[in-house]
């Protein structure tokens, strides 16, 4: 399936690529003849400090027991290549899809989802919440400072809308501050495919890293993850006698291809079924058009449940999660009590943003190693 579809099947007509409003920026920026607006956004994202910090943030495994575990940066690159492949095959705007994939996890705090949960719990005590999509928007709109004329990266509306809406819909009643992002309408397909490219990437990678960690066994996965059972059987028929780890790697690649092809075929079929002929048709449809087929969706749900039961909640990772929670909560409480100990740039923001949000912003930006260093220093301060 991957490659380029015949011209009459491609979804170029519904692509966001030609939409002038989506290519617009808050601050005027002269066009560059060598690059499109979305290619320039991709460069701005890759050059952002928050993007570089993804290299030091947990995807699933905080421990450095293996150099082969995904970091949030390598996960991001895997999502980008899947998203680009899907967009290119369907005739969508590859550069917009790639930019959105590269920025999709930029708002994640240290320690993966455990860090995010802990930060959210801390903020709840102050009547606030932590949401990594909304935090990503704060990063690209306010925190990155690379340009003389404005704060933030001055990304196109298309990329900013995709940051907000790629993985979930926000209600206009609860989030009036997001009114510019057309909350009542679906995002373009380039944004819709990001969430599913993300799923494909981690469903593949977490089995791989799980086996690398020794917490998952190939035989157990093969017996319990239905899509992997089918893929493993197929590669075993083709490559009899090969080492189990090589067969497993082949099976993972096949699984990723099966899910990617399914996303492409199902999204195409959904768009054709409603006769989508413009971006407005995508936006006005009551549900998202980028989906897996019912069979692939059932595989996805089954595997996700397996990963949750056998890997994410196993005792070794639970210990890492407990430590993450302890570190995030202790630092949050310390700076709430001693705001003068925050870096001066953050102290200045307390008046406009409120102390709890500023402390959360500071913590959310940290890498795993930086937050552990802060924790060690502050424990010494408290003991004095
Ligand atoms: Mg992700």
């Amino acid at each position: 399936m991957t490659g380029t579809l015949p011209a009459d099947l491609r979804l170029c007509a519904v692509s966001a690529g030609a939409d002038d409003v989506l290519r617009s920026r808050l601050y005027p920026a002269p066009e560059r003849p060598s690059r499109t607006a979305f290619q320039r956004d991709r460069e701005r994202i890759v050059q952002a400090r928050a993007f570089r910090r993804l290299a030091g943030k947990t995807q699933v495994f905080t421990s450095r027991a293996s150099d082969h575990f995904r970091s949030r940066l390598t996960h991001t690159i895997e999502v980008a290549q899947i998203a680009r492949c899907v967009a290119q095959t369907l005739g969508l705007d590859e550069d917009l899809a790639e930019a959105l994939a590269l920025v999709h996890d930029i708002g994640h705090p240290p320690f993966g989802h455990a860090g995010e949960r802990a930060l959210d719990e801390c903020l709840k005590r102050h009547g606030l919440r932590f949401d990594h999509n909304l935090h990503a928007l704060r990063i690209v709109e306010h925190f990155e400072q690379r340009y003389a004329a404005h704060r933030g990266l001055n990304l196109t509306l298309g990329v900013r809308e995709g940051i907000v809406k790629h993985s979930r819909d926000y209600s206009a009643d609860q989030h009036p501050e997001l009114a510019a992002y057309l909350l009542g309408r679906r995002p373009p397909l380039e944004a819709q495919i990001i969430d599913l490219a993300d799923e494909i990437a981690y469903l593949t990678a977490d089995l791989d890293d799980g086996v690398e960690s020794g917490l998952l066994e190939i035989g157990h996965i093969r017996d319990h993850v239905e899509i992997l059972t089918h893929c493993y059987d197929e590669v075993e028929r083709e490559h009899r006698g090969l080492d189990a780890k090589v067969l497993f790697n082949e099976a993972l690649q096949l699984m990723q291809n099966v899910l990617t092809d399914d996303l492409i075929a199902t999204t195409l079929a959904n768009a054709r079924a409603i006769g989508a002929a413009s971006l407005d048709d995508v936006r006005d449809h009551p549900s998202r058009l980028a989906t897996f087929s019912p069979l692939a969706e059932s595989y996805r749900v089954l595997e996700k449940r397996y990963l949750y039961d056998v890997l994410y909640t196993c005792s070794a990772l639970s210990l890492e999660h407990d430590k993450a929670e302890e570190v995030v909560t202790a630092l949050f409480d310390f700076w709430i009590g001693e705001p003068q100990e925050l870096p001066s740039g953050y102290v200045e923001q307390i008046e406009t943003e409120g102390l709890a949000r500023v402390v959360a912003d500071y913590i959310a930006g940290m890498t795993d190693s930086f937050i552990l260093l802060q924790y060690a220093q502050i424990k010494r301060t408290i003991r004095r």
Side-chain angles (χ1 to χ4, degrees):
M1 170 66 72
T2 41
T4 303
L5 294 167
D8 61 329
L9 286 180
R10 302 177 86 211
L11 299 176
C12 307
V14 307
S15 166
D19 190 289
D20 286 340
V21 176
L22 290 179
R23 285 184 300 176
S24 68
R25 302 178 192 277
L26 277 177
Y27 306 95
E31 294 280 327
R32 296 261 184 253
S34 58
R35 279 112 75 221
T36 67
F38 298 134
Q39 285 171 347
R40 291 178 70 194
D41 278 2
R42 182 183 61 202
E43 291 166 12
R44 287 167 188 228
I45 291 161
V46 168
Q47 288 167 1
R49 283 154 56 104
F51 183 80
R52 294 198 290 281
R53 292 198 302 269
L54 294 174
K57 295 197 182 205
T58 292
Q59 179 62 20
V60 173
F61 294 92
T62 301
S63 82
R64 296 284 100 205
S66 167
D67 287 339
H68 301 127
F69 292 147
R70 270 78 175 174
S71 67
R72 211 156 270 281
L73 179 63
T74 62
H75 160 74
T76 291
I77 294 168
E78 290 177 355
V79 176
Q81 65 182 9
I82 295 167
R84 195 172 174 93
C85 158
V86 173
Q88 188 248 333
T89 307
L90 288 173
L92 301 171
D93 192 296
E94 299 161 51
D95 297 319
L96 174 56
E98 186 177 15
L100 286 174
L102 291 172
V103 80
H104 88 282
D105 270 355
I106 212 166
H108 267 287
F111 303 139
H113 289 288
E116 183 173 17
R117 270 195 306 274
L119 207 46
D120 190 39
E121 288 301 322
C122 290
L123 280 177
K124 274 187 197 168
R125 290 191 260 127
H126 297 265
L128 299 168
R129 301 298 304 266
F130 184 82
D131 176 303
H132 72 262
N133 290 339
L134 302 184
H135 187 69
L137 195 64
R138 289 166 68 73
I139 289 172
V140 302
E141 289 188 339
H142 301 292
F143 300 157
E144 288 289 326
Q145 294 190 53
R146 295 177 48 81
Y147 303 95
H150 52 78
R151 291 183 69 102
L153 299 176
N154 196 24
L155 301 177
T156 58
L157 177 63
V159 169
R160 286 179 292 121
E161 184 198 359
I163 288 172
V164 175
K165 288 156 72 173
H166 72 271
S167 61
R168 55 169 283 208
D169 295 321
Y170 292 81
S171 87
D173 295 343
Q174 285 177 338
H175 292 278
E177 78 281 10
L178 300 175
Y181 301 111
L182 312 166
L183 294 189
R185 306 183 82 195
R186 306 284 81 70
L189 283 178
E190 286 86 348
Q192 294 188 24
I193 63 174
I194 300 304
D195 195 39
L196 300 172
D198 190 17
E199 296 268 342
I200 293 169
Y202 82 71
L203 287 173
T204 310
D206 291 357
L207 290 182
D208 193 17
D209 284 359
V211 169
E212 175 75 19
S213 70
L215 296 172
L216 296 183
E217 290 175 3
I218 294 173
H220 194 268
I221 295 171
R222 192 181 173 183
D223 288 343
H224 292 85
V225 179
E226 191 181 354
I227 185 169
L228 211 279
T229 309
H230 298 313
C231 292
Y232 201 105
D233 288 350
E234 189 172 329
V235 299
E236 195 175 41
R237 276 195 299 275
E238 209 176 315
H239 305 284
R240 266 185 209 289
L242 265 191
D243 176 71
K245 185 66 170 67
V246 178
L247 284 176
F248 179 63
N249 289 342
E250 283 278 351
L252 285 178
Q253 287 176 55
L254 179 58
M255 183 180 95
Q256 181 163 313
N257 290 341
V258 166
L259 290 172
T260 304
D261 289 352
D262 183 274
L263 170 60
I264 292 167
T266 311
T267 302
L268 183 65
N270 291 342
R272 287 171 69 83
I274 66 154
S278 69
L279 178 56
D280 280 339
D281 291 340
V282 173
R283 285 195 176 286
D284 292 335
H285 195 64
S287 58
R288 294 180 179 228
L289 294 174
T291 65
F292 290 124
S293 66
L295 178 62
E297 177 62 13
S298 71
Y299 289 151
R300 185 192 72 80
V301 170
L302 200 71
E303 184 187 331
K304 202 164 175 168
R305 195 176 304 139
Y306 175 84
L307 285 168
Y308 185 82
D309 291 345
V310 183
L311 183 63
Y312 304 149
T313 55
C314 74
S315 58
L317 288 193
S318 293
L319 284 173
E320 289 190 3
H321 298 165
D322 291 349
K323 174 76 177 171
E325 194 180 308
E326 176 191 324
V327 170
V328 168
T329 307
L331 286 175
F332 185 90
D333 290 344
F334 174 77
W335 282 308
I336 288 288
E338 311 274 349
Q340 74 284 356
E341 297 292 329
L342 286 163
S344 58
Y346 286 90
V347 174
E348 286 163 17
Q349 291 171 39
I350 294 172
E351 198 174 333
T352 49
E353 302 292 334
L355 177 58
R357 179 61 68 192
V358 169
V359 172
D361 285 342
Y362 184 41
I363 290 174
M366 294 179 183
T367 59
D368 295 359
S369 57
F370 187 78
I371 197 172
L372 288 171
L373 197 64
Q374 296 299 306
Y375 183 61
Q377 284 174 355
I378 275 159
K379 275 213 304 200
R380 279 200 297 275
T381 307
I382 293 169
R383 258 190 242 122
R384 264 193 235 123

